[in-house]
């Protein structure tokens, strides 16, 4: 999971480097297309099946749609605000997932989870810092969409595990998002930059590196969840924020100001508090197995 967090953060860093010349829509197109090709070849080589049982297509399309909105919002913020701040917005997913799981899956919200979620949203307010106006309103909207869209996609993913194999879900997301991004090039005056530029050789190298980093991140993420219970590996994903801050500073971002720093700490703490009961439960399960 540590490696997965690093490679996903590295993918975001490559997006940041490409952003001055390659639009967010074009970045998503190449990232999604190459991921679909990688996963398609992997599935063909392993002769993997697609379905476990009939049904589930509606949820699969909804998951791809919400995941696409989240990815688009994340790439927009990566291009326009410090990398660490954009990453923190994306890592707010557990805060939204608590409510979406209760609404969609009828999960019960415990008092500690509710308080932790409120704490996390206070952290988001600190990062947005509306009094000082450090962030443009569009970045705040995109930050909410990046975390909330990913939460809906993850909650939906729980309903798909009985219908589709994991690698096909990844392939479908990449294939569908590449088609959606391709269609966005023909929509005039889109709300994010959707211009097309033919990459030069150096940009092609960065694009391939971005796609490879994202694929490696997905590989290590899958291996982590196959090797240990989710409650143990999921909290490690918050190291991605640290990677994002350091990589952003290396690429020229300024250090987070005091309010942003407090907000980042609150978001991380709230996510860890939400994950704590599952973490303790999974630790006890492993001890019983030993």
């Amino acid at each position: 999971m540590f490696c997965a967090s690093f490679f996903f953060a590295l993918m975001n860093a490559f997006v940041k480097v490409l952003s001055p010349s390659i639009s967010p829509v074009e970045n998503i197109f190449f990232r999604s297309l190459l991921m679909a090709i990688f996963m398609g070849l992997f599935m063909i080589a392993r002769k993997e099946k697609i379905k476990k049982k009939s049904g589930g297509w509606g949820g699969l399309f909804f998951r791809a749609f919400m995941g696409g909105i989240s990815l688009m919002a994340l790439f927009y913020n990566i291009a326009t605000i410090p990398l660490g701040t954009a990453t923190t917005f994306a890592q707010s997913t557990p805060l939204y997932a608590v409510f979406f799981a209760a609404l969609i899956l009828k999960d019960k919200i415990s008092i500690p989870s509710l308080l932790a979620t409120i704490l996390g949203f206070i952290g988001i307010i600190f990062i947005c810092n509306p009094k000082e106006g450090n962030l443009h309103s569009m970045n705040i909207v995109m930050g909410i969409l990046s975390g909330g869209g990913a939460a809906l996609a993850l909650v939906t993913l729980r309903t798909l595990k009985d219908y589709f194999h994991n690698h096909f879900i990844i392939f479908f997301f990449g294939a569908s998002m590449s088609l959606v991004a391709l269609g966005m090039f023909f929509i005039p005056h889109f709300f994010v930059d959707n211009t097309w530029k033919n990459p030069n050789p150096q940009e092609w190298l960065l694009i391939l590196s971005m796609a490879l980093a994202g694929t490696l991140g997905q590989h290590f993420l899958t291996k982590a969840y196959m090797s240990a219970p989710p409650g143990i590996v999921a909290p490690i994903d918050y190291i991605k924020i640290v990677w994002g801050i350091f990589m952003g500073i290396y690429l020229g971002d300024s250090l987070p100001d005091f309010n942003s720093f407090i907000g980042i700490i609150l978001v991380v703490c709230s996510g860890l508090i939400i994950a704590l009961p599952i973490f303790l439960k999974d630790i006890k399960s492993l001890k019983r197995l030993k």
Side-chain angles (χ1 to χ4, degrees):
M1 194 63 184
F2 186 87
C3 291
S5 298
F6 172 77
F7 281 111
F8 279 130
L10 189 61
M11 180 197 74
N12 293 342
F14 283 124
V15 173
K16 185 80 171 177
V17 174
L18 285 164
S19 293
S21 55
I22 303 294
S23 69
V25 175
E26 191 171 351
N27 270 325
I28 287 178
F29 172 73
F30 284 125
R31 193 263 193 185
S32 302
L33 179 63
L34 291 172
M35 183 176 72
I37 292 173
F38 289 153
M39 292 308 303
L41 292 174
F42 180 79
M43 291 171 61
I44 292 172
R46 295 187 58 173
K47 299 179 180 180
E48 287 191 357
K49 294 181 178 179
I50 294 174
K51 295 280 290 181
K52 294 181 180 179
K53 65 178 183 179
S54 60
W57 289 103
L60 189 66
F61 277 100
F62 181 76
R63 187 261 174 188
F65 175 72
M66 295 310 306
I69 289 177
S70 172
L71 190 64
M72 175 67 72
L74 172 61
F75 277 25
Y76 176 88
N77 272 352
I78 287 173
T80 54
I81 61 177
L83 188 57
T85 303
T87 303
T88 304
F89 270 123
Q91 291 299 108
S92 65
T93 297
L95 312 182
Y96 301 95
V98 168
F99 290 108
F100 290 146
L103 291 173
I104 298 173
L105 303 177
K106 307 303 180 183
D107 288 355
K108 293 183 178 179
I109 303 178
S110 65
I111 297 299
S113 293
L114 179 61
L115 294 176
T117 303
I118 294 172
L119 182 69
F121 280 116
I122 293 173
I124 294 295
I125 293 172
F126 267 93
I127 294 171
C128 297
N129 198 8
K131 185 177 179 180
E132 298 294 332
N134 289 350
L135 290 181
H136 192 277
S137 57
M138 180 60 80
N139 292 119
I140 296 173
V141 171
M142 290 297 182
I144 294 171
L145 287 176
S146 66
L152 272 174
L154 288 175
V155 169
T156 306
L157 192 61
R158 283 175 56 183
T159 67
L160 296 176
K161 63 181 181 180
D162 295 329
Y163 296 98
F164 302 97
H165 289 279
N166 180 56
H167 292 134
F168 176 72
I169 294 174
I170 299 170
F171 166 80
F172 185 87
F173 175 72
S176 60
M177 274 311 301
S178 60
L179 291 175
V180 170
L182 186 63
M184 288 179 181
F185 290 118
F186 301 97
I187 301 175
H189 306 296
F190 197 59
F191 69 94
V192 296
D193 184 9
N194 62 338
T195 55
W196 173 272
K197 178 197 172 186
N198 292 323
N200 59 40
Q202 183 180 1
E203 288 165 347
W204 272 118
L205 180 61
L206 290 170
I207 288 169
L208 289 171
S209 299
M210 171 187 66
L212 180 60
T215 304
L216 286 172
Q218 191 63 58
H219 167 74
F220 283 113
L221 182 74
T222 304
K223 293 287 286 185
Y225 278 95
M226 289 174 63
S227 303
I232 294 176
V233 298
I236 303 173
D237 193 40
Y238 279 95
I239 196 70
K240 192 188 299 178
I241 296 176
V242 179
W243 289 124
I245 292 173
F246 279 114
M247 290 181 186
I249 292 172
Y250 178 78
L251 295 175
D253 290 343
S254 58
L255 283 167
D257 60 22
F258 179 76
N259 284 330
S260 296
F261 181 76
I262 294 298
I264 290 170
I265 295 296
L266 291 177
V267 170
V268 172
C269 289
S270 67
L272 295 178
I273 292 170
I274 291 171
L276 183 61
I278 304 172
F279 175 82
L280 295 175
K281 179 181 177 182
D282 289 339
I283 286 290
K284 290 180 181 178
S285 298
L286 286 179
K287 287 182 177 179
R288 283 198 296 266
L289 289 175
K290 290 179 180 180

